[in-house]
Amino acid sequence: MNYDPYSRQLQEDPFPTYRYFLEEEPVTYNEQMDFYAIFRFDDVWNATLDWKTYSSRLGPTLENRGQMPGTIMSIIGMDPPLHVRVRTLVSKGFTPRRIAALEKEIRGIAQHYLDAFVGEGGGEIQNAFSNKLPMDVISALLGIPKEMREEFREGVDKMLQRDPETGLPPADAGAAVVRNGQRMIELLEARRRQPQEDLITVLAQSEFEDLDGTRRRLSDGEVCSFVNLLAAAGYETTMKLIGNCIVYLWKHPDQRRELWCDPSLLDGAIEEVLRYDAPSQFQGRVMERDVELHGVVIPKDARVALVTGSAGRDPREYEQPDRFDIHRKADRQLYFGYGQHVCIGKSLARLEAKIALQEIAARFPDYEVDEAGCTRTYQAHVRGYATIPLSI
Ligand code: HEM
């Protein structure tokens, strides 16, 4: 069997394919696309911890073969020690306490979009709400003004889009990257003139110790890469989590009813949606040495996909992994990554999903999804709904 993460069939439903690879071929090589993939929970877990072997220096998508340095993608394309030094510049902004303080603001944004949705009598919720909430939240944190958000969001979507026939990004993706970069430079220049209480300003002003021991600020390019990464990572995944929560709870009406009656189940329900269908299905790495795994040698310099989407369905880690169960108690999880690159925004994503569900439950707890009308995004390593028609 061939593992082609961009094929239409895999993007529609990867789980039968994962089942095959989990049992029959836990390490595979895609000859046509020239990359390896590993599928089992323990293997992915160990790889995320062993950054000296599984390097992030070419970034998390598989296409980069060294044409561009991973640092263009900011921290997600770096290894320690530089990774740690640059990540620290913003990590204080994402502690659970700092994120909890944003609750009122996030709830206000959710209420604004959901009230409008109810006012319209319902309709397609992914674009009316699930996309908007995370983009507004991360933009408010970063300092991206309201009038720029829609264009920026479209640019991010384009960068990650892949044609299911060719596996290539759309022809105008490059232009979208350049346009988003220009907007970032404009914002950064404005912050240098007039600092604000936002992360762009924090990144523009803070100093770190570079590898040669000198203390310096991030360059304009480095700030822009970091802001781009935070905006893209904060939006693309969380909007998919919210869409998945809406659909999977509708598909399990008994569990949905139970959840609405007992809000203490909410946190566990969100974790289960993340495990069941991870918004980020794989993370790319590059090998720093030969490794033999399950009888296959993954050679130095090969690109390898750590398939967290299949790790969430590994029966060696989870009992009855294909069963959706909001009561599940899981000890370990990989859907936010693990180790050096564990998601910086995981508390924020969890809070946004929680508020989204609370506010939906308060307005239209018995919503119905028109499953036949749902469509999917076709993107690099993220998987989720593009549209979810809903009746309320
Ligand atoms: C459901 C929502 C989310 C999911 C499933 C998710 C998933 C992930 C995963 C799997 C990684 C690891 C990447 C790797 O190992 O190469 C990661 C890293 C990252 N995430 Fe998230 N993420 C989510 C939300 C967010 C949010 C809201 C932010 C906003 C700040 C964010 C920012 C980041 C950043 C900056 C990194 C890179 C960290 C590093 O390289 O050190 N993510 N995320």
Side-chain angles (χ1 to χ4, degrees):
M1 199 186 268
N2 192 31
Y3 168 63
D4 173 0
Y6 306 150
S7 71
R8 191 178 291 276
Q9 171 257 329
L10 205 94
Q11 297 245 349
E12 289 289 335
D13 181 8
F15 300 107
T17 307
Y18 290 164
R19 211 167 300 138
Y20 164 82
F21 283 105
L22 280 166
E23 297 316 316
E24 307 297 334
E25 210 182 316
V27 181
T28 193
Y29 176 58
N30 181 323
E31 204 175 319
Q32 201 191 353
M33 297 166 82
D34 185 25
F35 73 91
Y36 290 77
I38 62 180
F39 296 90
R40 289 188 182 165
F41 190 98
D42 271 339
D43 295 334
V44 175
W45 179 270
N46 294 336
T48 59
L49 289 173
D50 183 5
W51 57 266
K52 285 187 178 157
T53 304
Y54 296 84
S55 162
S56 288
R57 69 177 159 79
L58 295 182
T61 53
L62 296 169
E63 289 91 344
N64 187 13
R65 304 287 160 141
Q67 308 91 306
M68 44 183 186
T71 45
I72 278 187
M73 298 162 230
S74 189
I75 53 172
I76 209 158
M78 295 176 188
D79 290 324
L82 186 63
H83 169 261
V84 186
R85 293 179 197 187
V86 180
R87 179 172 161 130
T88 309
L89 297 180
V90 294
S91 48
K92 282 197 285 297
F94 289 96
T95 60
R97 236 177 85 216
R98 289 291 286 275
I99 295 306
L102 297 173
E103 173 163 356
K104 199 167 152 219
E105 195 175 346
I106 299 175
R107 196 173 298 283
I109 298 170
Q111 288 170 340
H112 166 76
Y113 288 120
L114 286 175
D115 285 345
F117 185 72
V118 173
E120 294 276 310
E124 197 286 291
I125 195 163
Q126 194 63 9
N127 288 283
F129 172 65
S130 319
N131 291 357
K132 294 252 176 9
L133 175 70
M135 192 63 206
D136 274 5
V137 172
I138 193 69
S139 299
L141 270 174
L142 288 167
I144 301 175
K146 283 205 168 76
E147 62 280 6
M148 269 176 61
R149 291 177 191 171
E150 197 49 31
E151 187 189 55
F152 194 79
R153 195 176 67 76
E154 276 175 27
V156 172
D157 273 343
K158 284 237 155 69
M159 278 188 275
L160 288 178
Q161 224 168 294
R162 293 292 181 274
D163 184 313
E165 313 312 329
T166 63
L168 294 172
D172 53 353
V177 173
V178 172
R179 200 187 54 217
N180 276 5
Q182 277 164 350
R183 297 281 178 273
M184 280 302 126
I185 293 282
E186 287 160 22
L187 278 183
L188 180 58
E189 282 167 356
R191 291 309 185 282
R192 290 212 197 281
R193 285 193 301 273
Q194 202 169 10
Q196 305 278 333
E197 297 243 324
D198 56 36
L199 278 178
I200 298 182
T201 307
V202 170
L203 284 169
Q205 291 183 338
S206 44
E207 284 191 352
F208 73 106
E209 191 179 316
D210 208 343
L211 294 181
D212 62 7
T214 53
R215 284 198 72 74
R216 69 167 179 94
R217 289 187 173 176
L218 294 174
S219 68
D220 285 5
E222 287 168 330
V223 174
C224 291
S225 300
F226 210 155
V227 172
N228 244 321
L229 169 66
L230 288 164
Y235 156 66
E236 282 293 353
T237 47
T238 313
M239 66 94 144
K240 292 175 172 69
L241 169 61
I242 296 173
N244 284 346
C245 285
I246 292 170
V247 173
Y248 287 123
L249 288 173
W250 168 76
K251 280 191 174 184
H252 299 87
D254 294 349
Q255 296 190 52
R256 183 174 71 172
R257 208 168 306 119
E258 212 186 331
L259 182 62
W260 294 164
C261 293
D262 181 357
S264 72
L265 296 172
L266 207 45
D267 291 335
I270 292 166
E271 299 306 303
E272 179 64 351
V273 172
L274 283 161
R275 178 199 70 83
Y276 194 71
D277 197 344
S280 177
Q281 291 276 309
F282 70 85
Q283 287 85 59
R285 296 289 189 268
V286 56
M287 300 303 290
E288 294 295 6
R289 63 176 175 88
D290 291 3
V291 166
E292 188 178 337
L293 196 60
H294 304 292
V296 177
V297 175
I298 312 178
K300 182 173 181 312
D301 294 328
R303 298 249 38 196
V304 55
L306 314 183
V307 189
T308 40
S310 76
R313 297 290 190 103
D314 186 346
R316 290 156 201 81
E317 182 69 17
Y318 302 105
E319 228 173 84
Q320 293 190 293
D322 296 328
R323 208 174 97 92
F324 178 81
D325 178 4
I326 61 170
H327 294 282
R328 188 182 292 275
K329 300 269 179 281
D331 295 332
R332 299 193 295 174
Q333 53 195 248
L334 276 167
Y335 36 79
F336 284 122
Y338 195 62
Q340 290 296 331
H341 292 273
V342 68
C343 179
I344 216 169
K346 59 188 196 309
S347 301
L348 179 59
R350 286 175 168 136
L351 182 62
E352 287 182 45
K354 190 172 180 175
I355 291 172
L357 287 178
Q358 286 168 336
E359 296 300 325
I360 285 173
R363 286 169 180 73
F364 42 92
D366 300 322
Y367 65 84
E368 293 288 335
V369 172
D370 167 15
E371 199 176 6
C374 291
T375 57
R376 289 202 163 273
T377 61
Y378 288 97
Q379 292 175 308
H381 56 295
V382 281
R383 170 185 144 79
Y385 289 98
T387 57
I388 305 176
L390 213 72
S391 51
I392 60 175

